[in-house]
Amino acid sequence: MKKQQRVLTGITTSGEPHLGNLVGAILPAIRASNQPDTASFLFLADYHSLIKNTDSDLTHTSSLEIAACWLACGLDPDKVTFYRQSDIPHIFELAWVLSCLTSKGLLNRAHAYKAAISDNEQQGTKDLDKGITMGLFNYPVLMAADILMFNADFVPVGQDQKQHIEMARDIALKFNHHYGELLTPPEAQINEVTGILPGLDGRKMSKSYNNTIPVFANEKVLRKSIMKIQTNSLEPGEPKDHENCNIFNIYKAIATESEVLDLKKQYEEGMGWGDAKNVLFENLNEFVSPFKQEYEKIMKDKNFVESVLVEGANKAKEYSSPLMKQIRESVGIKGF
Ligand code: ADP
Ligand code: TRP
């Protein structure tokens, strides 16, 4: 029998679910979870949220919203292992073991840390580490523990996370070298088709940039956020280039092939930006509407979400508990 491949991914619970999460992570992961040869581990990276903010209400609310989003989009918790990172203590125990194997130099090269240093440099701050927490610095180690604790083969992520998966691989190989072959070196799976969905300002759609389209917002908010998408100053009647257009690139992620071709033709014929935004709004509203109905229902039933996650955590621990026991013993932490 063909070996099941294990696929694992997580979303940080530090904001409302947005269209980038939906088309870049949630929908493809649900599709993959329906493949017979795949075992999926999908989780809420709630302790990762503390790296980004100290707003406890935000982390808590976002955990519920993101869990509800997965379920509303059709995730079948019986087919996958769906859990909250914070419910699995073994991840944090493994994170310590891994941090003792990870050279500081490797973490000095992590993009998130380097970006924070570079911000300080640009602002002329004398202490380049100003405002940088150990949480941010150690973030790749916690992420490696998330992945290695479940011996994931593949990790579907956005392009910006590729470096973290490579680091997890390095760390796994180092562990195996010192303590024996217990951890699977993972591989990143970058979705080339969806690629990076641009946000309202053309940069990657991201909670960190405040440029997202919140998929489950009411129609008014959804329309308002679409009207904010940045365009160039070409007037109606002038032919428009679809390739570098944010409206078009967002539309491409949700529309059918023929709808995309149709919009392209209308661009060439000089469609105005206002009309293009309306087409995107109508299409997006229709695209999210079945998910939104489910989402609203699930958001009202917190007990249901909680019970799904508790059951998921129990399933996850059936895997993490024996592996952590082996890891502990292999590093020499065991009874006499
Ligand atoms: P954010 O950048 O808003 O903090 P997350 O890092 O929590 O988003 O994203 C979780 C996952 O959602 C990522 O690994 C990626 O697969 C997907 N994702 C997020 N933003 C985008 C985007 N703009 N385009 C495509 N996929 C995205
Ligand atoms: N850091 C990821 C992000 O911001 C979220 C995440 C945390 C993750 N742990 C993970 C993704 C493990 C994949 C595997 O997108």
Side-chain angles (χ1 to χ4, degrees):
M1 206 174 81
K2 211 171 131 199
K3 180 186 169 281
Q4 270 207 329
Q5 55 173 15
R6 188 163 296 157
V7 175
L8 174 146
T9 198
I11 296 185
T12 306
T13 60
S14 55
E16 267 180 280
H18 59 74
L19 190 62
N21 297 142
L22 209 72
V23 300
I26 294 175
L27 294 174
I30 293 176
R31 275 196 295 273
S33 74
N34 290 323
Q35 305 287 330
D37 56 348
T38 301
S40 297
F41 287 73
L42 306 168
F43 71 100
L44 308 172
D46 51 355
Y47 264 125
H48 280 272
S49 175
L50 273 54
I51 299 170
K52 302 193 182 182
N53 68 82
T54 53
D55 182 342
S56 53
D57 287 339
L58 176 76
T59 297
H60 189 235
T61 307
S62 168
S63 299
L64 177 65
E65 288 170 345
I66 293 181
C69 179
W70 277 104
L71 296 168
C73 289
L75 182 77
D76 178 353
D78 291 335
K79 274 199 189 149
V80 302
T81 307
F82 179 53
Y83 56 100
R84 213 166 10 203
Q85 179 196 31
S86 57
D87 283 338
I88 318 294
H90 310 116
I91 294 174
F92 306 93
E93 192 174 349
L94 179 58
W96 175 255
V97 174
L98 300 181
S99 73
C100 294
L101 286 169
T102 307
S103 62
K104 178 170 171 288
L106 183 75
L107 297 183
N108 284 342
R109 291 191 287 278
H111 294 324
Y113 174 64
K114 273 172 64 181
I117 295 276
S118 144
D119 277 354
N120 279 336
E121 250 166 12
Q122 272 175 9
Q123 282 161 24
T125 314
K126 244 207 204 131
D127 173 11
L128 292 184
D129 277 321
K130 187 164 179 238
I132 299 176
T133 63
M134 285 308 293
L136 179 77
F137 189 70
N138 279 328
Y139 158 31
V141 177
L142 182 56
M143 196 162 151
D146 291 332
I147 298 167
L148 303 179
M149 193 68 263
F150 295 96
N151 274 339
D153 300 295
F154 297 103
V155 186
V157 280
Q159 179 72 34
D160 58 319
Q161 296 290 323
K162 193 166 172 238
Q163 186 196 37
H164 295 145
I165 316 302
E166 282 160 5
M167 287 182 168
R169 217 183 146 77
D170 280 358
I171 297 171
L173 291 171
K174 196 151 177 199
F175 179 95
N176 290 348
H177 172 76
H178 286 287
Y179 298 121
E181 300 279 326
L182 283 179
L183 304 181
T184 305
E187 255 179 63
Q189 224 171 30
I190 312 284
N191 185 341
E192 303 294 348
V193 182
T194 327
I196 293 183
L197 190 82
L200 305 179
D201 56 0
R203 291 187 293 173
K204 175 198 171 220
M205 185 176 290
S206 168
K207 296 185 279 266
S208 322
Y209 298 144
N210 232 330
N211 64 355
T212 64
I213 298 180
V215 263
F216 299 123
N218 65 40
E219 260 185 53
K220 218 168 129 196
V221 175
L222 191 64
R223 182 185 286 279
K224 218 165 136 192
S225 74
I226 287 172
M227 293 306 149
K228 277 197 246 164
I229 298 176
Q230 289 176 13
T231 57
N232 59 28
S233 55
L234 288 175
E235 297 287 339
E238 294 183 83
K240 301 188 172 58
D241 174 20
H242 64 278
E243 260 174 33
N244 297 313
C245 172
N246 297 330
I247 305 171
F248 194 90
N249 286 329
I250 296 171
Y251 190 70
K252 230 171 48 184
I254 54 159
T256 63
E257 218 169 300
S258 75
E259 286 168 335
V260 172
L261 282 175
D262 189 49
L263 188 67
K264 183 169 166 248
K265 191 160 155 274
Q266 295 194 65
Y267 269 41
E268 284 157 6
E269 290 166 357
M271 181 185 223
W273 291 132
D275 289 342
K277 284 178 180 177
N278 273 328
V279 170
L280 174 60
F281 167 75
E282 294 298 339
N283 201 301
L284 184 59
N285 201 27
E286 205 177 296
F287 176 80
V288 296
S289 136
F291 302 135
K292 199 145 103 185
Q293 276 177 14
E294 266 309 292
Y295 179 80
E296 279 160 12
K297 237 172 43 202
I298 295 169
M299 281 299 281
K300 286 194 195 119
D301 195 352
K302 291 184 197 175
N303 289 340
F304 165 68
V305 179
E306 185 61 29
S307 69
V308 166
L309 290 172
V310 168
E311 212 167 293
N314 288 337
K315 229 154 108 181
K317 280 187 275 191
E318 275 171 30
Y319 195 83
S320 62
S321 176
L323 180 57
M324 193 60 225
K325 182 165 179 281
Q326 275 182 299
I327 292 171
R328 221 180 281 138
E329 285 173 4
S330 73
V331 302
I333 307 288
K334 52 185 167 182
F336 299 113

